[in-house]
Protein backbone atom coordinates (compact mmCIF):
# COMPACT_ATOMS: atom_id res chain seq x y z
CA UNK A 1 0.00 0.00 0.00
CA UNK A 2 1.08 3.53 -0.67
CA UNK A 3 1.78 5.30 2.64
CA UNK A 4 0.82 8.86 3.48
CA UNK A 5 3.27 11.47 2.15
CA UNK A 6 3.12 15.10 1.06
CA UNK A 7 -0.23 14.40 -0.62
CA UNK A 8 -1.81 15.13 2.75
CA UNK A 9 -1.63 18.77 1.78
CA UNK A 10 -4.12 18.07 -1.00
CA UNK A 11 -6.54 15.85 0.86
CA UNK A 12 -10.11 16.79 0.00
CA UNK A 13 -13.03 17.91 2.12
CA UNK A 14 -14.98 16.20 4.89
CA UNK A 15 -14.10 14.95 8.31
CA UNK A 16 -16.28 11.91 8.64
CA UNK A 17 -18.17 11.20 11.80
CA UNK A 18 -19.81 7.96 12.88
CA UNK A 19 -22.04 6.14 10.45
CA UNK A 20 -25.24 4.13 10.82
CA UNK A 21 -27.38 2.68 8.07
CA UNK A 22 -29.80 -0.20 7.55
CA UNK A 23 -28.62 -2.30 10.38
CA UNK A 24 -25.94 -0.31 12.16
CA UNK A 25 -23.17 2.21 12.34
CA UNK A 26 -19.84 2.44 10.64
CA UNK A 27 -17.21 4.54 12.34
CA UNK A 28 -15.50 6.88 9.93
CA UNK A 29 -13.01 5.15 7.73
CA UNK A 30 -11.74 8.07 5.76
CA UNK A 31 -10.34 11.23 7.28
CA UNK A 32 -9.96 14.22 5.02
CA UNK A 33 -9.49 17.87 5.84
CA UNK A 34 -12.68 19.90 6.22
CA UNK A 35 -13.49 22.95 4.15
CA UNK A 36 -15.98 25.47 5.40
CA UNK A 37 -19.19 25.72 3.43
CA UNK A 38 -19.01 28.66 1.05
CA UNK A 39 -21.56 31.36 0.39
CA UNK A 40 -24.57 30.14 -1.55
CA UNK A 41 -23.23 31.19 -4.96
CA UNK A 42 -19.58 30.34 -4.31
CA UNK A 43 -17.68 27.07 -4.55
CA UNK A 44 -17.17 24.79 -2.84
CA UNK A 45 -20.64 24.56 -1.31
CA UNK A 46 -21.90 21.81 0.97
CA UNK A 47 -25.01 20.45 2.64
CA UNK A 48 -24.79 18.37 5.82
CA UNK A 49 -27.84 16.28 6.68
CA UNK A 50 -28.71 13.39 8.94
CA UNK A 51 -30.64 10.91 6.84
CA UNK A 52 -30.58 7.16 6.22
CA UNK A 53 -29.63 6.89 9.91
CA UNK A 54 -26.22 8.37 9.14
CA UNK A 55 -24.41 11.66 8.74
CA UNK A 56 -24.25 12.67 5.08
CA UNK A 57 -22.27 15.44 3.44
CA UNK A 58 -22.76 16.58 -0.14
CA UNK A 59 -20.18 18.93 -1.61
CA UNK A 60 -20.15 20.66 -4.98
CA UNK A 61 -16.91 22.05 -6.35
CA UNK A 62 -18.11 22.96 -9.84
CA UNK A 63 -21.46 23.14 -11.62
CA UNK A 64 -25.02 22.83 -10.40
CA UNK A 65 -24.68 24.81 -7.21
CA UNK A 66 -27.33 25.09 -4.52
CA UNK A 67 -30.13 23.75 -6.73
CA UNK A 68 -28.17 20.54 -7.30
CA UNK A 69 -27.58 20.19 -3.56
CA UNK A 70 -31.29 20.66 -2.87
CA UNK A 71 -32.17 18.00 -5.44
CA UNK A 72 -29.64 15.62 -3.89
CA UNK A 73 -31.10 16.13 -0.41
CA UNK A 74 -34.57 15.48 -1.80
CA UNK A 75 -33.25 12.22 -3.27
CA UNK A 76 -31.74 11.20 0.07
CA UNK A 77 -35.08 11.86 1.77
CA UNK A 78 -36.79 9.67 -0.80
CA UNK A 79 -34.36 6.79 -0.30
CA UNK A 80 -34.73 7.10 3.45
CA UNK A 81 -38.45 6.65 2.97
CA UNK A 82 -38.18 3.50 0.83
CA UNK A 83 -34.99 1.71 1.97
CA UNK A 84 -34.43 2.31 5.68
CA UNK A 85 -35.25 -1.07 7.22
CA UNK A 86 -36.12 0.46 10.60
CA UNK A 87 -38.56 2.97 9.11
CA UNK A 88 -42.11 1.71 9.20
CA UNK A 89 -43.62 1.71 5.71
CA UNK A 90 -40.32 1.49 3.84
CA UNK A 91 -39.96 -1.24 1.23
CA UNK A 92 -37.46 -3.21 3.34
CA UNK A 93 -39.67 -2.86 6.43
CA UNK A 94 -42.69 -4.04 4.43
CA UNK A 95 -40.76 -7.03 3.09
CA UNK A 96 -39.69 -8.08 6.57
CA UNK A 97 -43.19 -7.55 8.00
CA UNK A 98 -45.15 -8.92 5.06
CA UNK A 99 -48.47 -10.75 5.39
CA UNK A 100 -48.20 -12.51 2.03
CA UNK A 101 -45.56 -13.96 -0.28
CA UNK A 102 -45.43 -10.85 -2.47
CA UNK A 103 -44.72 -7.19 -1.75
CA UNK A 104 -44.94 -4.29 -4.19
CA UNK A 105 -41.76 -2.21 -4.07
CA UNK A 106 -40.24 0.87 -5.66
CA UNK A 107 -38.32 0.27 -8.92
CA UNK A 108 -35.10 1.47 -7.26
CA UNK A 109 -35.55 -0.98 -4.39
CA UNK A 110 -36.15 -3.72 -6.94
CA UNK A 111 -32.94 -2.80 -8.74
CA UNK A 112 -30.95 -2.84 -5.50
CA UNK A 113 -32.36 -6.21 -4.49
CA UNK A 114 -31.56 -7.73 -7.88
CA UNK A 115 -27.99 -6.47 -7.54
CA UNK A 116 -27.78 -7.94 -4.03
CA UNK A 117 -29.05 -11.28 -5.29
CA UNK A 118 -26.47 -11.33 -8.10
CA UNK A 119 -23.67 -10.67 -5.61
CA UNK A 120 -25.02 -13.43 -3.40
CA UNK A 121 -24.78 -15.87 -6.31
CA UNK A 122 -21.31 -14.71 -7.35
CA UNK A 123 -19.91 -14.87 -3.80
CA UNK A 124 -21.63 -18.21 -3.16
CA UNK A 125 -23.57 -16.78 -0.25
CA UNK A 126 -20.77 -14.82 1.40
CA UNK A 127 -22.76 -11.67 0.71
CA UNK A 128 -26.12 -12.88 1.99
CA UNK A 129 -29.15 -10.55 1.75
CA UNK A 130 -31.30 -13.09 3.62
CA UNK A 131 -29.07 -12.89 6.73
CA UNK A 132 -31.54 -10.76 8.69
CA UNK A 133 -32.65 -13.60 11.04
CA UNK A 134 -29.07 -13.55 12.37
CA UNK A 135 -28.18 -9.86 12.21
CA UNK A 136 -31.34 -8.88 14.09
CA UNK A 137 -29.93 -10.75 17.11
CA UNK A 138 -26.85 -8.53 17.28
CA UNK A 139 -26.94 -5.03 18.78
CA UNK A 140 -23.75 -3.02 18.37
CA UNK A 141 -25.30 0.25 19.54
CA UNK A 142 -26.82 -0.26 22.98
CA UNK A 143 -26.92 -3.78 24.42
CA UNK A 144 -23.52 -4.85 23.03
CA UNK A 145 -23.84 -8.43 24.14
CA UNK A 146 -23.15 -11.71 22.34
CA UNK A 147 -26.46 -13.47 21.61
CA UNK A 148 -27.10 -16.89 23.09
CA UNK A 149 -25.47 -19.63 21.02
CA UNK A 150 -28.76 -21.53 20.76
CA UNK A 151 -30.50 -18.47 19.30
CA UNK A 152 -27.75 -18.02 16.71
CA UNK A 153 -27.96 -21.69 15.72
CA UNK A 154 -31.72 -21.42 15.33
CA UNK A 155 -31.42 -18.21 13.30
CA UNK A 156 -28.90 -19.84 10.96
CA UNK A 157 -31.55 -22.39 10.00
CA UNK A 158 -33.81 -19.50 8.94
CA UNK A 159 -31.35 -18.00 6.46
CA UNK A 160 -33.10 -18.96 3.25
CA UNK A 161 -30.51 -18.03 0.66
CA UNK A 162 -31.98 -17.23 -2.76
CA UNK A 163 -35.44 -18.34 -1.65
CA UNK A 164 -36.72 -15.03 -2.92
CA UNK A 165 -36.71 -13.12 -6.19
CA UNK A 166 -37.78 -9.87 -7.80
CA UNK A 167 -39.84 -9.61 -10.98
CA UNK A 168 -40.59 -6.12 -12.17
CA UNK A 169 -41.53 -4.15 -9.07
CA UNK A 170 -42.65 -7.15 -7.02
CA UNK A 171 -40.68 -8.97 -4.33
CA UNK A 172 -41.61 -12.61 -3.86
CA UNK A 173 -40.54 -14.81 -0.95
CA UNK A 174 -40.57 -18.56 -1.50
CA UNK A 175 -40.26 -19.23 2.23
CA UNK A 176 -41.89 -17.45 5.18
CA UNK A 177 -38.53 -17.29 6.96
CA UNK A 178 -37.05 -14.95 4.32
CA UNK A 179 -35.95 -11.69 5.96
CA UNK A 180 -33.78 -9.19 4.12
CA UNK A 181 -30.79 -7.12 5.27
CA UNK A 182 -29.29 -4.93 2.53
CA UNK A 183 -26.87 -3.01 4.74
CA UNK A 184 -23.93 -4.33 2.72
CA UNK A 185 -24.98 -2.56 -0.49
CA UNK A 186 -27.64 0.07 0.27
CA UNK A 187 -25.47 3.10 1.00
CA UNK A 188 -23.34 2.44 -2.06
CA UNK A 189 -26.44 2.01 -4.20
CA UNK A 190 -27.94 5.25 -2.93
CA UNK A 191 -24.65 7.11 -3.50
CA UNK A 192 -24.74 6.01 -7.15
CA UNK A 193 -28.32 7.27 -7.50
CA UNK A 194 -27.54 10.60 -5.84
CA UNK A 195 -24.57 11.01 -8.18
CA UNK A 196 -26.97 10.70 -11.13
CA UNK A 197 -29.26 13.35 -9.63
CA UNK A 198 -26.38 15.76 -9.05
CA UNK A 199 -24.98 15.28 -12.55
CA UNK A 200 -28.43 15.80 -14.05
CA UNK A 201 -28.47 19.11 -12.18
CA UNK A 202 -25.18 20.24 -13.66
CA UNK A 203 -22.56 19.07 -11.14
CA UNK A 204 -19.26 18.25 -12.82
CA UNK A 205 -17.08 18.08 -9.70
CA UNK A 206 -18.20 17.00 -6.24
CA UNK A 207 -18.17 14.51 -3.40
CA UNK A 208 -20.96 12.40 -1.95
CA UNK A 209 -20.17 11.12 1.53
CA UNK A 210 -22.84 8.89 3.03
CA UNK A 211 -21.36 8.27 6.41
CA UNK A 212 -18.12 6.81 5.15
CA UNK A 213 -19.07 5.62 1.68
CA UNK A 214 -17.24 8.17 -0.47
CA UNK A 215 -18.10 8.77 -4.11
CA UNK A 216 -16.31 11.40 -6.16
CA UNK A 217 -18.04 13.04 -9.12
CA UNK A 218 -15.48 13.76 -11.82
CA UNK A 219 -12.22 15.32 -10.66
CA UNK A 220 -11.18 18.48 -8.84
CA UNK A 221 -11.69 21.79 -10.67
CA UNK A 222 -7.91 22.00 -11.19
CA UNK A 223 -8.09 18.74 -13.20
CA UNK A 224 -6.39 16.66 -10.52
CA UNK A 225 -7.82 13.61 -8.77
CA UNK A 226 -9.56 13.85 -5.43
CA UNK A 227 -7.36 12.45 -2.67
CA UNK A 228 -8.80 10.43 0.20
CA UNK A 229 -6.85 9.00 3.12
CA UNK A 230 -8.01 5.68 4.55
CA UNK A 231 -7.91 5.63 8.32
CA UNK A 232 -5.58 3.24 10.12
CA UNK A 233 -7.40 2.32 13.37
CA UNK A 234 -4.12 1.06 14.82
CA UNK A 235 -2.65 4.56 14.60
CA UNK A 236 -4.67 7.47 15.95
CA UNK A 237 -2.92 10.02 13.74
CA UNK A 238 -2.06 7.81 10.79
CA UNK A 239 -3.54 6.40 7.62
CA UNK A 240 -3.16 3.03 6.00
CA UNK A 241 -3.41 4.28 2.45
CA UNK A 242 -3.94 7.35 0.28
CA UNK A 243 -6.26 6.93 -2.70
CA UNK A 244 -6.58 9.10 -5.78
CA UNK A 245 -10.17 9.08 -7.01
CA UNK A 246 -11.27 10.41 -10.38
CA UNK A 247 -14.99 9.71 -10.82
CA UNK A 248 -14.61 6.70 -8.52
CA UNK A 249 -15.96 5.48 -5.19
CA UNK A 250 -14.13 4.10 -2.14
CA UNK A 251 -15.85 1.98 0.49
CA UNK A 252 -14.28 0.36 3.55
CA UNK A 253 -15.56 -2.54 5.63
CA UNK A 254 -13.79 -2.48 8.98
CA UNK A 255 -13.83 -4.55 12.15
CA UNK A 256 -13.11 -1.45 14.22
CA UNK A 257 -16.26 0.37 13.13
CA UNK A 258 -19.01 -1.11 15.31
CA UNK A 259 -17.64 -3.50 17.85
CA UNK A 260 -17.48 -4.47 21.50
CA UNK A 261 -15.42 -6.82 23.64
CA UNK A 262 -16.75 -9.69 25.72
CA UNK A 263 -14.58 -12.12 27.68
CA UNK A 264 -11.51 -10.85 25.91
CA UNK A 265 -12.93 -11.39 22.42
CA UNK A 266 -13.74 -8.55 20.05
CA UNK A 267 -17.05 -8.84 18.19
CA UNK A 268 -17.84 -6.61 15.22
CA UNK A 269 -20.75 -6.03 12.87
CA UNK A 270 -19.44 -7.91 9.82
CA UNK A 271 -21.26 -11.20 10.36
CA UNK A 272 -20.25 -14.41 8.59
CA UNK A 273 -23.50 -16.01 7.34
CA UNK A 274 -21.99 -19.48 7.78
CA UNK A 275 -21.28 -19.09 11.50
CA UNK A 276 -23.61 -16.33 12.66
CA UNK A 277 -20.69 -14.64 14.42
CA UNK A 278 -18.30 -11.85 13.50
CA UNK A 279 -16.01 -12.87 10.64
CA UNK A 280 -12.58 -13.78 12.00
CA UNK A 281 -10.12 -13.58 9.11
CA UNK A 282 -7.24 -11.66 10.65
CA UNK A 283 -8.29 -8.46 8.89
CA UNK A 284 -8.84 -5.02 10.31
CA UNK A 285 -10.43 -3.62 7.16
CA UNK A 286 -10.90 -3.99 3.42
CA UNK A 287 -11.25 -0.98 1.13
CA UNK A 288 -12.58 -1.38 -2.40
CA UNK A 289 -12.24 1.30 -5.08
CA UNK A 290 -14.16 1.30 -8.35
CA UNK A 291 -16.73 3.03 -10.56
CA UNK A 292 -19.94 1.67 -8.97
CA UNK A 293 -20.31 2.43 -5.28
CA UNK A 294 -22.87 -0.34 -4.69
CA UNK A 295 -20.39 -2.91 -6.01
CA UNK A 296 -17.60 -1.40 -3.89
CA UNK A 297 -19.89 -1.65 -0.89
CA UNK A 298 -20.85 -5.27 -1.47
CA UNK A 299 -17.35 -6.38 -2.40
CA UNK A 300 -15.70 -4.76 0.63
CA UNK A 301 -17.92 -6.77 2.99
CA UNK A 302 -17.54 -9.96 0.95
CA UNK A 303 -13.76 -9.76 0.77
CA UNK A 304 -13.53 -9.10 4.50
CA UNK A 305 -15.50 -12.26 5.24
CA UNK A 306 -13.48 -14.28 2.72
CA UNK A 307 -10.14 -13.19 4.14
CA UNK A 308 -7.14 -11.78 2.31
CA UNK A 309 -6.04 -14.82 0.30
CA UNK A 310 -9.46 -15.86 -0.93
CA UNK A 311 -10.49 -12.22 -1.28
CA UNK A 312 -7.62 -11.41 -3.62
CA UNK A 313 -8.44 -14.43 -5.75
CA UNK A 314 -12.11 -13.51 -5.85
CA UNK A 315 -11.69 -9.89 -6.91
CA UNK A 316 -9.31 -10.98 -9.66
CA UNK A 317 -11.92 -13.44 -10.90
CA UNK A 318 -14.69 -10.84 -10.57
CA UNK A 319 -12.76 -8.31 -12.64
CA UNK A 320 -11.99 -10.90 -15.30
CA UNK A 321 -15.64 -12.00 -15.52
CA UNK A 322 -17.05 -8.46 -15.65
CA UNK A 323 -14.18 -6.78 -17.52
CA UNK A 324 -13.82 -4.31 -14.65
CA UNK A 325 -10.91 -2.95 -12.65
CA UNK A 326 -11.99 -2.85 -9.00
CA UNK A 327 -9.06 -2.54 -6.59
CA UNK A 328 -8.98 -3.96 -3.05
CA UNK A 329 -6.73 -2.88 -0.19
CA UNK A 330 -6.42 -5.26 2.78
CA UNK A 331 -5.33 -4.11 6.23
CA UNK A 332 -4.42 -6.90 8.66
CA UNK A 333 -5.07 -6.87 12.36
CA UNK A 334 -2.14 -5.50 14.33
CA UNK A 335 -1.14 -8.93 15.68
CA UNK A 336 -1.19 -10.29 12.14
CA UNK A 337 1.29 -7.66 10.96
CA UNK A 338 3.87 -8.42 13.62
Amino acid sequence: MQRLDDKTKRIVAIILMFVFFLGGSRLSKYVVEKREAAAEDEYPMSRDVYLLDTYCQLTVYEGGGSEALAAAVDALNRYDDIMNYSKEGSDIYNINHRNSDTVSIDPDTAEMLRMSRELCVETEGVLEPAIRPVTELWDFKEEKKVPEAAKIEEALTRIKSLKWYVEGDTFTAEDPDVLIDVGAVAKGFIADKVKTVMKENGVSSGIINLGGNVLCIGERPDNTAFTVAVKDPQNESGYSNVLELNDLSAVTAGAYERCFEENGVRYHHIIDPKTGYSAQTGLESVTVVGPVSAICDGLSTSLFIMGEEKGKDFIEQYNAAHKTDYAAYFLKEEAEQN
Side-chain angles (χ1 to χ4, degrees), residues 12 53 155 186 241 269:
V12 178
D53 292 328
N241 199 17
H269 75 289

Short mmCIF file of all heavy atoms in Angstrom, two decimals, residues 12 53 155 186 241 269:
data_model
loop_
_atom_site.label_atom_id
_atom_site.label_comp_id
_atom_site.label_asym_id
_atom_site.label_seq_id
_atom_site.Cartn_x
_atom_site.Cartn_y
_atom_site.Cartn_z
N VAL A 12 -8.85 16.09 0.22
CA VAL A 12 -10.11 16.79 0.00
C VAL A 12 -11.02 16.75 1.20
O VAL A 12 -10.91 15.89 2.02
CB VAL A 12 -10.84 16.13 -1.16
CG1 VAL A 12 -12.17 16.79 -1.39
CG2 VAL A 12 -10.00 16.20 -2.38
N ASP A 53 -30.24 7.22 8.62
CA ASP A 53 -29.63 6.89 9.91
C ASP A 53 -28.12 7.08 9.90
O ASP A 53 -27.37 6.34 10.53
CB ASP A 53 -29.95 5.43 10.31
CG ASP A 53 -31.43 5.25 10.62
OD1 ASP A 53 -32.04 6.21 11.13
OD2 ASP A 53 -31.96 4.16 10.35
N ALA A 155 -31.31 -19.23 14.34
CA ALA A 155 -31.42 -18.21 13.30
C ALA A 155 -30.73 -18.65 12.02
O ALA A 155 -31.20 -18.34 10.91
CB ALA A 155 -30.84 -16.89 13.80
N ALA A 186 -26.66 -1.02 0.40
CA ALA A 186 -27.64 0.07 0.27
C ALA A 186 -27.00 1.45 0.17
O ALA A 186 -27.39 2.26 -0.69
CB ALA A 186 -28.64 0.02 1.41
N ASN A 241 -3.54 4.15 3.89
CA ASN A 241 -3.41 4.28 2.45
C ASN A 241 -3.94 5.64 2.01
O ASN A 241 -4.77 6.24 2.68
CB ASN A 241 -4.20 3.18 1.75
CG ASN A 241 -3.76 2.96 0.32
OD1 ASN A 241 -2.68 3.38 -0.08
ND2 ASN A 241 -4.60 2.30 -0.45
N HIS A 269 -19.47 -5.92 13.59
CA HIS A 269 -20.75 -6.03 12.87
C HIS A 269 -20.70 -6.78 11.55
O HIS A 269 -21.74 -7.00 10.93
CB HIS A 269 -21.29 -4.62 12.60
CG HIS A 269 -20.56 -3.92 11.49
ND1 HIS A 269 -19.28 -3.46 11.61
CD2 HIS A 269 -20.96 -3.62 10.22
CE1 HIS A 269 -18.91 -2.90 10.47
NE2 HIS A 269 -19.91 -2.98 9.62
#
